[in-house]
Amino acid sequence: MSILNISVTEIPAFYLVGFPGMESAHIWISIPICLLYTAAILGNCSILFFIRQEPSLHEPMYYFLSMLALSDLGLSISSLPTMLKVFLFGSPEISPNVCFAQEFFIHEFSAMESSVLLIMSFDRFVAICNPLRYTSILTSARVLQIGLAFALKNVLLILPFPVTLKRLRYCKKNLLSHSYCLHQDVMKLACSDNKFNAIYGLFVALSGILDITCIFLSYGLILRAVLDIASRRERLKVLSTCVSHICAVLVFYVPVISLSVVSRFAKHSSPITKILMADIFLLVPPVMNPIIYCVKSQQIRNVILEKLCQKQK
């Protein structure tokens, strides 16, 4: 049978889930969700605006920060429609094709954020371990090439998700576990063989593990270089340039790892716990990253204060 003929979806729609048993409180839960989305979109748009407008921020580090902001924006906008649909309007129904499209963008921007964090760790490694060649290694053209290469890699990596999901048949089960579509969640509803989806999903997860492993390796090399510095004050000064990135890595990976551990070793835990942890993964990093970089980066903070003072005049 050809691939085109396999693309058969028996059920007319999937149904998303908010917090089971708390449906009466969904309208109140939508308030903090809306505030978080508003903060994420405004914060990341502000980062992009200030970096674009301020020539002093046209440096590799801030170009990579722009990529991180774009990934956060994409992640927020991808999940926003169905989250509001479930919590604010009480409408859990979603068509299969829309669901497949949403899970592609959520996984795509998640993979892109992981890649950007990896690139930023390389940026810190070059800046600390080879500062004299920093500007010659990370030119504007090379930064653009790196960003495009990783974006293309992630599109090719995630594209099989919706394609293979569309080939599966969905006969009886149509209730998802979240208020948005994820590959592993949709895959479990199939009544046809989903072995390939499970194996490929594991492969994508391993690529994420490779990213965090390379980030740890970069910081191992950075730490070794910093320990060679004689002055304790200079060591702290050098390490302080990594604080923002380390916080961004923790904000992104801690919810992912925690959710994986709970799903693997606490299978009998409350579904609400898993749903809450998954929502934290989608909602918190896009909100926190602009705050982290505005608080820890004096250069960005000075630019923002300068622009605000100009407007007041």
Side-chain angles (χ1 to χ4, degrees), residues 120-286:
M120 293 175 86
S121 72
F122 174 71
D123 169 78
R124 292 299 83 206
F125 168 74
V126 175
I128 292 171
C129 298
N130 207 343
L132 298 179
R133 296 186 59 201
Y134 178 75
T135 54
S136 61
I137 294 174
L138 291 174
T139 61
S140 296
R142 193 162 291 163
V143 167
L144 180 61
Q145 290 170 357
I146 292 171
L148 289 176
F150 273 92
L152 179 61
K153 185 267 290 185
N154 287 316
V155 168
L156 295 176
L157 181 69
I158 303 300
L159 190 58
F161 275 179
V163 174
T164 55
L165 285 176
K166 193 172 175 63
R167 292 177 58 192
L168 298 175
R169 296 184 63 194
Y170 305 91
C171 308
K172 297 179 180 178
K173 295 186 292 183
N174 61 359
L175 187 63
L176 297 167
S177 304
H178 302 282
S179 51
Y180 42 83
C181 295
L182 297 176
H183 173 260
Q184 61 272 24
D185 200 15
V186 178
M187 176 190 71
K188 293 176 182 177
L189 301 182
C191 57
S192 57
D193 185 15
N194 61 5
K195 189 178 295 183
F196 174 81
N197 298 74
I199 294 171
Y200 191 76
L202 178 61
F203 171 74
V204 173
L206 290 174
S207 71
I209 294 173
L210 180 61
D211 286 348
I212 188 65
T213 302
C214 291
I215 291 172
F216 277 121
L217 179 61
S218 296
Y219 273 101
L221 296 173
I222 288 170
L223 191 59
R224 189 177 70 175
V226 168
L227 291 176
D228 289 337
I229 300 174
S231 169
R232 182 174 179 272
R233 185 177 179 181
E234 285 298 315
R235 289 179 190 172
L236 294 175
K237 184 178 179 181
V238 170
L239 286 174
S240 67
T241 64
C242 301
V243 171
S244 299
H245 179 252
I246 292 172
C247 290
V249 170
L250 292 175
V251 164
F252 181 76
Y253 280 107
V254 167
V256 177
I257 294 171
S258 300
L259 182 60
S260 299
V261 170
V262 169
S263 299
R264 178 68 180 85
F265 298 105
K267 295 182 179 179
H268 300 294
S269 61
S270 169
I272 293 179
T273 302
K274 297 178 183 177
I275 292 170
L276 183 61
M277 293 176 72
D279 289 348
I280 287 172
F281 163 68
L282 282 183
L283 292 169
V284 173

Side-chain angles (χ1 to χ4, degrees), residues 74-136:
L75 198 58
S76 295
I77 293 171
S78 298
S79 58
L80 173 62
T82 54
M83 289 278 277
L84 293 185
K85 193 178 177 185
V86 171
F87 288 102
L88 190 58
F89 300 109
S91 177
E93 187 174 332
I94 184 171
S95 70
N97 287 335
V98 173
C99 187
F100 300 151
Q102 185 186 46
E103 62 89 23
F104 168 77
F105 286 111
I106 289 177
H107 287 291
E108 163 64 21
F109 286 113
S110 297
M112 192 62 206
E113 180 143 353
S114 179
S115 295
V116 173
L117 291 172
L118 171 59
I119 299 168
M120 293 175 86
S121 72
F122 174 71
D123 169 78
R124 292 299 83 206
F125 168 74
V126 175
I128 292 171
C129 298
N130 207 343
L132 298 179
R133 296 186 59 201
Y134 178 75
T135 54
S136 61

Side-chain angles (χ1 to χ4, degrees), residues 49-68:
F49 173 78
F50 287 122
I51 291 175
R52 179 180 173 81
Q53 294 294 319
E54 182 56 45
S56 65
L57 299 180
H58 293 177
E59 300 176 3
M61 174 182 173
Y62 298 107
Y63 290 145
F64 293 136
L65 179 55
S66 297
M67 296 178 196
L68 186 66

